[in-house]
Amino acid sequence: MVGTRAILRRLTLAAAIAMAPLATLAPAAAAADGSGIWRPAPQSRWQYQLEGNPRHKATGGIDVGICVKPQTGGACVRPTVFDIDLYVDGDVAGDNSTPNTAAVKAIHARGGKAVCYVDAGSIEEFRPDYRQFADWHQRHGGSLLGKPFSADFPDERWANINNDKGQRDFLLRMMEARVAKCARAGFDGVEFDVVNAHEEGRAVTGWTVSAATQLTYNRALAALGHKHGLAVALKNDLSQAAELEPYFDFAVNESCFTHDECGELKPFVKAGKAVFHVEYGLSPSKFCRRANAASLNFDSIKKASDYSLKDRPYKPCR
């Protein structure tokens, strides 16, 4: 998401060399495989910034030079992986349709990698392609756009990923168009959000989505990312993490310590894949030691308690 919509989803050097290229600070990536697709290495520090800061307009609203003392202490550290929105925040660009190539270029100039945030399971009215979703919904008997994602945000609605009227086929075409924009903007990876409708149920989403249908959709999303040369993150959907791990290159998780469900991500850990994790309500002292432990080896950060995803606050665990 971009702007305030972000609230619902959600290496070590001395200060004297704090401006060194990111590539020298921590491993931003594992070696690419034969496909040429980047895959992030565990212990790559990350930043989650979906809301732009007008003070950093030259870099698409993203603070690419952020350096913060970690929970483990010592000198400030810098992220090497930035998870940012496909588009520049409207408060920075003046519109919601400018791909954030400026941020991607700035991140790359510092030796980092950029992950493209794409909402694949709910439809947001403020997106530039929204009219296509609404028109399809109207032409097909109101079968695509479900209940609001939350009472606070009625302009974002759960998508129906069933295919009885071709909904999933249409969604995948639209998602591919978005992924293609990520690739053209120079992103290295893509994060698909809201891919767990089956866990929420009809009462929340407005649709009855089976676990099998969710697997079909999520695997298709992973294939789209790889088709366009991007690493692909599984966002949440912890109940299917073990089944989906072989199809995804890394994981992004929100609040698994809050909900006591971090163990569900161990298939990614055992496979040597990075887990980029964020907590909002818990203080770093409550989760960082567990996140840093060898049994999990998460790349964990603390963001704002109000769930906003601005450049600051930002507190890496290590």
Side-chain angles (χ1 to χ4, degrees):
M1 289 173 217
V2 70
T4 58
R5 301 312 190 276
I7 67 174
L8 291 171
R9 308 291 193 243
R10 7 88 165 119
L11 245 139
T12 304
L13 283 181
I17 55 173
M19 295 306 294
L22 289 176
T24 69
L25 304 179
D33 64 10
S35 69
I37 293 174
W38 163 73
R39 288 181 169 84
Q43 300 188 32
S44 303
R45 292 189 180 91
W46 79 304
Q47 163 70 305
Y48 204 18
Q49 187 190 343
L50 301 185
E51 299 178 65
N53 184 338
R55 293 179 57 190
H56 301 285
K57 187 173 183 178
T59 54
I62 306 301
D63 182 0
V64 300
I66 190 168
C67 192
V68 176
K69 182 178 178 179
Q71 179 67 13
T72 50
C76 73
V77 297
R78 300 175 183 273
T80 57
V81 178
F82 289 76
D83 193 332
I84 64 175
D85 198 86
L86 166 59
Y87 297 106
V88 182
D89 192 314
D91 291 340
V92 176
D95 59 58
N96 284 326
S97 59
T98 302
N100 208 344
T101 54
V104 174
K105 288 179 180 178
I107 291 166
H108 286 169
R110 288 175 167 266
K113 299 291 185 180
V115 176
C116 187
Y117 176 92
V118 171
D119 194 333
S122 65
I123 308 304
E124 305 147 313
E125 292 183 8
F126 55 88
R127 294 299 186 181
D129 57 2
Y130 171 74
R131 191 69 254 165
Q132 296 178 65
F133 293 98
D135 290 346
W136 196 99
H137 177 73
Q138 292 174 355
R139 292 196 306 269
H140 294 82
S143 60
L144 182 66
L145 306 180
K147 291 185 176 183
F149 186 82
S150 78
D152 293 327
F153 297 101
D155 60 351
E156 179 181 348
R157 296 165 67 183
W158 285 90
N160 184 0
I161 65 171
N162 291 299
N163 212 34
D164 54 296
K165 295 187 178 180
Q167 300 97 321
R168 185 166 64 247
D169 292 340
F170 171 74
L171 285 168
L172 289 172
R173 289 196 297 271
M174 295 298 292
M175 292 308 122
E176 180 161 21
R178 290 179 173 184
V179 170
K181 283 188 177 181
C182 294
R184 288 197 296 271
F187 282 89
D188 306 284
V190 59
E191 173 208 332
F192 292 111
D193 200 7
V194 195
V195 294
N196 63 325
H198 77 107
E199 294 177 335
E200 302 296 338
R202 185 181 183 90
V204 172
T205 69
W207 312 113
T208 299
V209 176
S210 70
T213 293
Q214 192 74 64
L215 284 173
T216 297
Y217 186 58
N218 291 1
R219 288 167 178 163
L221 290 172
L224 284 181
H226 291 154
K227 176 182 176 181
H228 288 271
L230 301 178
V232 187
L234 177 66
K235 176 70 168 291
N236 298 327
D237 193 16
L238 296 183
S239 65
Q240 297 185 326
E243 294 166 281
L244 289 170
E245 176 274 317
Y247 299 87
F248 287 80
D249 306 298
F250 61 108
V252 173
N253 174 263
E254 294 174 302
S255 304
C256 70
F257 284 108
T258 295
H259 301 294
D260 193 24
E261 55 191 12
C262 294
E264 299 295 330
L265 287 161
K266 285 190 176 180
F268 280 83
V269 176
K270 291 178 180 178
K273 297 179 179 180
V275 175
F276 295 130
H277 160 257
V278 57
E279 289 286 340
Y280 303 103
L282 294 180
S283 67
S285 63
K286 298 293 186 181
F287 69 89
C288 277
R289 179 172 294 182
R290 288 179 289 166
N292 291 347
S295 59
L296 289 180
N297 197 29
F298 286 180
D299 307 303
S300 294
I301 58 175
K302 169 72 167 69
K303 296 293 288 187
S305 297
D306 65 359
Y307 299 94
S308 60
L309 287 169
K310 301 177 182 179
D311 48 348
R312 295 173 186 263
Y314 165 70
K315 185 74 169 182
C317 282
R318 59 188 175 192

